[in-house]
Amino acid sequence: MAEPTQGTTMDHILQEISLVGRKLECMASLTAVTKSMCLDIAGFQSQVAGLDQRVTTVETRIASWVDRDQELLYLRSKLIDLEDRSHRDDVRFLGCPENIEGMDIHSYIRETLPKLTGIIFAPPWEFQRVHRLGPKRREDANRPCPIIASLLRHVKARQLLQAARAHGPFRLDDLEVRLTANFSKETSERRRAFLAL
């Protein structure tokens, strides 16, 4: 009777050893999987570190772009101011049909201004230059190109523009002519928006 018990115990021990062996094999495969996962995690960590470095670089660039944008806005405002200052002696004539001036636009403006405004200066009108703005248009164009007259003296340009503001549009025969300052496009748009309020 001792032998069957001993055989049963032996079988039982062998089964337990076999079970422990299978568990060790599972643990070995789990260890291999864990090592593989550790390697994957290490790879992810290096990728995240690389991405973090790239994000930091992008953030630095964006910060420099913001600084550049502010600098560009400042420089643009200075440029607009310089353009407006360089044109402060200019007067813009709006509503003069194309080719009304003939061949000599200087003489036409010099003769037309006293008739148009009623202002006569003791020394005659002195211009640095007089020209049409933009390309020549057809004579029947609805909006003829403005004439820009750059006076030699800023004081006379200011007096002329003050008279134009006080009087409004001038009449010359059947024409309605407006005189305005020759501001930059940006300043003109800001003035229009302000006056529209």
Side-chain angles (χ1 to χ4, degrees):
M1 281 202 139
E3 280 185 24
T5 307
Q6 192 176 14
T8 307
T9 307
M10 200 55 131
D11 286 341
H12 184 66
I13 290 172
L14 288 173
Q15 284 177 352
E16 289 293 323
I17 289 173
S18 174
L19 187 63
V20 168
R22 279 185 292 215
K23 285 182 180 179
L24 286 174
E25 287 174 5
C26 285
M27 285 182 70
S29 69
L30 282 174
T31 304
V33 168
T34 304
K35 283 182 182 177
S36 172
M37 288 174 71
C38 287
L39 290 173
D40 289 346
I41 289 171
F44 290 145
Q45 285 176 333
S46 68
Q47 286 179 355
V48 166
L51 288 173
D52 186 42
Q53 184 178 4
R54 289 172 66 186
V55 166
T56 304
T57 304
V58 168
E59 285 174 344
T60 305
R61 285 185 183 167
I62 288 173
S64 71
W65 290 342
V66 168
D67 291 343
R68 284 187 196 148
D69 283 350
Q70 290 173 349
E71 184 179 357
L72 282 174
L73 286 173
Y74 172 74
L75 291 174
R76 185 171 182 196
S77 71
K78 293 290 281 179
L79 184 65
I80 291 168
D81 182 55
L82 285 172
E83 185 179 349
D84 287 338
R85 285 175 188 269
S86 71
H87 293 296
R88 69 182 178 176
D89 300 336
D90 295 355
V91 177
R92 210 180 259 234
F93 292 75
L94 306 173
C96 295
E98 299 282 336
N99 298 324
I100 194 171
E101 67 273 9
M103 296 299 290
D104 188 8
I105 194 167
H106 252 98
S107 297
Y108 174 76
I109 293 296
R110 188 175 285 118
E111 292 167 9
T112 304
L113 265 175
K115 294 179 203 171
L116 192 64
T117 62
I119 300 174
I120 300 173
F121 287 115
W125 296 94
E126 298 172 297
F127 300 101
Q128 290 180 20
R129 68 184 178 282
V130 181
H131 61 92
R132 286 262 183 196
L133 184 67
K136 198 170 192 175
R137 296 184 186 165
R138 295 188 332 265
E139 288 187 36
D140 60 342
N142 290 339
R143 294 180 61 201
C145 294
I147 296 174
I148 306 291
S150 182
L151 282 87
L152 192 58
R153 309 211 188 301
H154 174 65
V155 175
K156 291 185 178 182
R158 196 170 5 151
Q159 289 174 340
L160 188 58
L161 291 171
Q162 285 172 347
R165 277 193 290 276
H167 186 272
F170 293 103
R171 302 280 316 160
L172 183 65
D173 299 328
D174 59 343
L175 298 176
E176 181 178 279
V177 179
R178 294 180 181 275
L179 303 181
T180 65
N182 187 25
F183 289 120
S184 63
K185 180 182 174 185
E186 292 82 1
T187 302
S188 298
E189 287 172 359
R190 271 188 278 151
R191 287 174 59 91
R192 273 195 295 272
F194 177 75
L195 294 174
L197 293 176

